[in-house]
Amino acid sequence: MSLSALLVLPLVQRRQRHPLVDPWLFRDRRRAMALLAAFLRAMSYFSVVLVMSLYLQTVEHLDVLSAGFQVMLMSVGAMLASPAAGRLATRHPARLLASAGTALSALGIALLVLALSLGPPAPAGLIGLGLFLTGVGAGLFGVPNTGELMSLVPAHRRGIANGVRSILQNAGYLISSVVALALVAGHGTSGPGGPDGLGSPLPAATGGPAALVGHHRMALLVLLGLCLAATASSLLRGGAHRPVPPPALTTPPSAPHRPGPGGSGGTKGTE
């Protein structure tokens, strides 16, 4: 039902005089591809934290604190890359930077897939490198993609555009969490578990550690595919153009209006 409502929403919004989601944003290919890339990037990035934290705790048997510190490498990478992306965005096209960011995240996720294929136990250095590169790619993507999107809409519509971008990103986070958990749990068909008869959330109960690793690897492969789709969307946004840096604020402010000798506005009053 939720998917049907999502498909019907654009049709309903097109007939509204003041739509909640402005269809005008999607009529330009650069705007539409920037929004789609943000949605797919959110889906691919967010659940890497979920999948890897579950893997480190259930397969590698790390405690919560140790697993958290290792997964935190993604945030460190994003924190270091974001300021650099802001400086690079003034000299290089957003299409190039955003696509390089999603491609770098795809490389990081691919390294995580490789690490899980070599384990358990998976090489800790390879996991750390994969997490770090995934975060760096996310930091490199966000600033130029959002900046170009804002530059493609007039000032009075930038709030709407940013709101739509935020909605798509949050939807991507939610959908990716559901998909990743379903894949890690073995599609919910691992067998009865617990007094309620529902499927067990831990495939290791029936398939063993090898099956559990396979479920985590499958989830990462799906996230890798979404990240590659985000790269393709970013590249398809249209011809790259070299951004113009903002002008320096060297023009002095205009002089305040002073009334003339005859009164307000420089006109003589009448008696």
Side-chain angles (χ1 to χ4, degrees):
M1 182 176 293
S2 299
L3 182 59
S4 301
L6 183 62
L7 295 176
V8 172
L9 179 63
L11 301 177
V12 175
Q13 292 295 300
R14 289 181 61 184
R15 300 184 178 184
Q16 303 299 319
R17 184 176 180 181
H18 301 289
L20 180 64
V21 179
D22 194 348
W24 172 85
L25 292 172
F26 301 93
R27 292 173 186 169
D28 179 80
R29 185 173 65 177
R30 285 185 295 174
R31 290 194 300 262
M33 290 298 103
L35 290 170
L36 179 59
F39 172 70
L40 294 173
R41 198 276 308 178
M43 288 189 66
S44 63
Y45 173 78
F46 183 76
S47 287
V48 173
V49 177
L50 177 63
V51 173
M52 291 308 301
S53 61
L54 290 175
Y55 170 82
L56 292 172
Q57 294 177 71
T58 59
V59 179
E60 303 286 344
H61 303 293
L62 297 182
D63 58 89
V64 176
L65 186 61
S66 299
F69 274 120
Q70 193 157 351
V71 175
M72 193 174 64
L73 287 172
M74 283 182 63
S75 299
V76 173
M79 181 180 63
L80 294 176
S82 294
R87 291 190 295 268
L88 291 172
T90 62
R91 301 191 299 269
H92 301 283
R95 178 193 184 197
L96 175 63
L97 291 176
S99 302
T102 52
L104 193 59
S105 290
L107 175 61
I109 298 175
L111 291 179
L112 295 176
V113 174
L114 176 61
L116 267 61
S117 301
L118 298 176
L126 195 57
I127 289 180
L129 179 60
L131 290 170
F132 182 75
L133 290 180
T134 304
V136 170
L140 189 61
F141 170 85
V143 174
N145 190 74
T146 303
E148 184 181 50
L149 176 62
M150 294 298 104
S151 70
L152 294 173
V153 296
H156 68 281
R157 291 196 176 187
R158 287 174 184 168
I160 299 174
N162 194 49
V164 172
R165 182 191 62 84
S166 298
I167 289 174
L168 290 175
Q169 285 192 167
N170 291 330
Y173 296 153
L174 177 62
I175 296 172
S176 66
S177 298
V178 174
V179 172
L181 284 175
L183 292 172
V184 169
H187 309 285
T189 58
S190 56
D196 56 359
L198 298 177
S200 172
L202 296 177
T206 57
L212 187 57
V213 172
H215 294 318
H216 285 82
R217 187 168 57 244
M218 177 59 67
L220 287 175
L221 285 172
V222 171
L223 298 179
L224 175 59
L226 291 171
C227 198
L228 292 174
T231 304
S233 300
S234 182
L235 289 172
L236 291 174
R237 71 179 64 197
H241 62 280
R242 197 171 187 83
V244 179
L249 298 178
T250 56
T251 304
S254 58
H257 178 71
R258 296 180 179 178
S264 176
T267 59
K268 295 183 177 181
T270 59
E271 295 183 355

